[in-house]
């Protein structure tokens, strides 16, 4: 079976980090974002098609250097074709039931159960549905009692949403869906789904967690969510942490740590440096970055090689 992952977006909301690396490889707790989608795929998925465009060479090199245990096929778009156009562009690889994912999704979805549900209903597709209090920033769906989706509403005005169920960006489709996608730049959500409802597009609601990690806030929320699920990981031997005050759940791979205050929700990548007196919370710090003496970092993503000067205060920022 094949899985398609949309990984060709510009990642503008994670700039300036995404000027030097594509969003799918930004490390989320020690693994590139996209590995959080690839690694838990069911065993029967032997091939992963990556629809790429922006910084495709970077992704190609990553997958040449890292064996992920499945065949990886990168399919390039000379210009980003949108979520629907990207699917159409990989049509020739998709000749049977396939998974498709928005590459930013971090969730607890049980893909085996979703596949069983899809097979029992025999529709053209199944869409994972997540429930939120305020759906105004999302694609909202309404379904009938059998789970069949009846209506789509993209980013409704506050108070006008038809339900609290949103499109979670994870799907199972039959290849027939590709016949309903026109050539060119096409949005799956706006230009394709509304036209295939008569063929049976079903919702699959799930519980647990779901985060679309495409912004600084939501990326750090995904980090916090995974830390809550998995708990802290700190380096061994613990003597590297001498003088470090740790709060809450964190993942610390950094090798140069001076006495400092770290946590909650901090990821320090291997090769990050933290100097004496620094305070870091709700942030990720990548390899080669330096957090200077008595600096304060919170709600931030610190890119590779970025230097936070001694005594600086960095809040709610992406540095690269
Ligand atoms: P922003 O520029 O910050 O909005 O990020 P983005 O470009 O990644 O857009 P968005 O977060 O809406 O995209 C959701 C998912 O679809 C991401 O995994 C993107 O990589 C992917 N994606 C968006 N547009 C395209 C496209 O034109 N082609 C392909 N192949 N993937 C896309």
């Amino acid at each position: 079976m094949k899985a398609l992952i949309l990984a060709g977006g510009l990642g503008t909301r994670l700039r300036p980090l995404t000027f030097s690396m594509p969003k799918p490889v930004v490390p989320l707790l020690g693994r590139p974002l996209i590995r959080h989608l690839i690694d838990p795929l069911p065993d029967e998925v032997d091939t992963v098609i990556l629809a790429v465009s922006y910084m495709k060479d970077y992704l190609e090199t990553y997958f040449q250097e890292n064996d992920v245990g499945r065949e990886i096929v990168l399919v390039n778009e000379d210009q980003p074709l949108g979520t629907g156009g990207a699917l159409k562009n990989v049509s020739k690889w998709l000749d049977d039931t396939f998974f498709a994912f928005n590459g930013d999704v971090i969730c607890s979805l049980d893909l085996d159960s979703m596949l069983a549900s899809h097979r029992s209903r025999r529709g053209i597709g199944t869409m994972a549905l997540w429930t939120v209090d305020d759906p105004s920033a999302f694609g909202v769906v309404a379904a009938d009692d059998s789970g069949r989706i009846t209506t789509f509403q993209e980013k409704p005005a506050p108070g006008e949403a038809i339900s609290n169920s949103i499109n979670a960006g994870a799907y199972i489709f039959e290849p027939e869906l590709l016949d309903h996608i026109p050539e060119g730049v096409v949005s799956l959500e706006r230009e394709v789904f509304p036209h295939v409802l008569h063929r049976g597009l079903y919702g699959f609601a799930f519980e647990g967690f779901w985060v679309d990690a495409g912004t600084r806030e939501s990326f750090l929320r995904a980090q916090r969510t995974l830390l809550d699920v998995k708990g802290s990981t700190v380096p061994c031997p613990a003597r590297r942490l001498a003088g470090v005050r740790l709060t809450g759940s964190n993942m610390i791979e950094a090798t140069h740590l001076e006495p400092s205050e770290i946590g909650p929700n901090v990821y320090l990548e291997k090769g990050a440096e933290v100097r004496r007196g620094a305070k870091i919370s709700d942030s990720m710090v990548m390899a080669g970055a330096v957090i200077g003496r008595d600096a304060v970092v919170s709600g931030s993503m610190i890119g590779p090689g970025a230097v936070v000067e001694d005594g600086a205060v960095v809040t709610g920022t992406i540095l690269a």
Side-chain angles (χ1 to χ4, degrees):
M1 189 173 176
K2 299 195 176 72
L4 163 68
I5 302 180
L6 299 175
L10 299 175
T12 52
R13 292 167 299 161
L14 286 185
R15 286 178 178 168
L17 197 52
T18 45
F19 281 133
S20 58
M21 61 171 60
K23 183 165 55 177
V25 298
V26 173
L28 175 59
L29 293 177
R31 273 190 297 166
L33 189 55
I34 200 164
R35 293 290 299 270
H36 291 264
L37 273 176
I38 294 175
D39 295 353
L41 285 169
D43 289 344
E44 65 184 290
V45 175
D46 51 16
T47 307
V48 179
I49 318 282
L50 295 180
V52 298
S53 182
Y54 179 64
M55 297 191 99
K56 73 168 173 45
D57 294 347
Y58 198 120
L59 288 162
E60 199 158 29
T61 304
Y62 174 80
F63 285 103
Q64 275 163 3
E65 292 175 354
N66 295 276
D67 180 5
V68 299
R70 308 174 204 256
E71 188 184 351
I72 301 287
V73 179
L74 274 86
V75 183
N76 183 44
E77 294 154 36
D78 290 334
Q79 62 163 66
L81 291 173
T83 47
L87 243 83
K88 185 80 173 176
N89 193 47
V90 300
S91 296
K92 74 169 184 179
W93 279 273
L94 302 173
D95 52 4
D96 203 351
T97 309
F98 62 96
F99 284 102
F101 300 95
N102 165 342
D104 300 349
V105 168
I106 300 297
C107 68
S108 57
L109 179 61
D110 179 343
L111 295 171
D112 285 310
S113 301
M114 185 170 165
L115 188 56
S117 165
H118 174 79
R119 287 185 167 143
S120 71
R121 286 157 145 174
R122 301 175 171 273
I124 196 172
T126 301
M127 171 187 292
L129 300 180
W130 180 247
T131 305
V132 293
D133 290 334
D134 175 11
S136 57
F138 302 101
V140 182
V141 307
D144 66 17
D145 290 344
S146 72
R148 190 171 174 148
I149 294 172
T150 52
T151 319
F152 273 96
Q153 196 184 28
E154 237 354 79
K155 302 190 177 67
E160 291 188 4
I162 50 175
S163 82
N164 284 353
S165 288
I166 62 162
N167 173 0
Y171 317 94
I172 300 170
F173 292 129
E174 295 302 315
E176 184 201 329
L177 181 91
L178 304 163
D179 301 336
H180 296 270
I181 307 177
E183 298 289 339
V185 179
V186 179
S187 159
L188 204 51
E189 299 81 356
R190 292 174 193 277
E191 296 166 75
V192 182
F193 291 154
H195 302 295
V196 297
L197 296 181
H198 67 284
R199 276 291 295 111
L201 189 58
Y202 288 88
F204 181 82
F206 68 102
E207 294 179 349
F209 62 88
W210 176 86
V211 186
D212 177 341
T215 66
R216 176 185 55 76
E217 294 94 329
S218 63
F219 190 95
L220 294 173
R221 198 177 328 124
Q223 180 177 292
R224 190 179 329 125
T225 302
L226 292 180
L227 278 171
D228 286 347
V229 173
K230 293 172 200 248
S232 284
T233 316
V234 293
C236 197
R239 69 185 147 73
R240 283 202 201 124
L241 292 174
V244 175
R245 204 172 126 217
L246 280 174
T247 318
S249 292
N250 306 284
M251 180 172 186
I252 299 178
E253 299 173 341
T255 37
H256 185 93
L257 275 178
E258 295 179 8
S260 50
E261 291 180 30
I262 294 171
N265 187 27
V266 171
Y267 168 56
L268 300 177
E269 193 175 27
K270 192 173 176 190
E273 286 187 29
V274 179
R275 301 267 157 81
R276 182 174 290 272
K279 291 185 182 149
I280 311 173
S281 59
D282 195 32
S283 296
M284 57 90 89
V285 183
M286 291 178 62
V290 179
I291 311 301
R293 272 183 166 237
D294 299 319
V296 177
V297 175
S298 68
S300 296
M301 299 174 74
I302 310 297
V307 175
V308 176
E309 300 287 349
D310 293 353
V313 176
V314 175
T315 310
T317 302
I318 302 178
L319 282 186

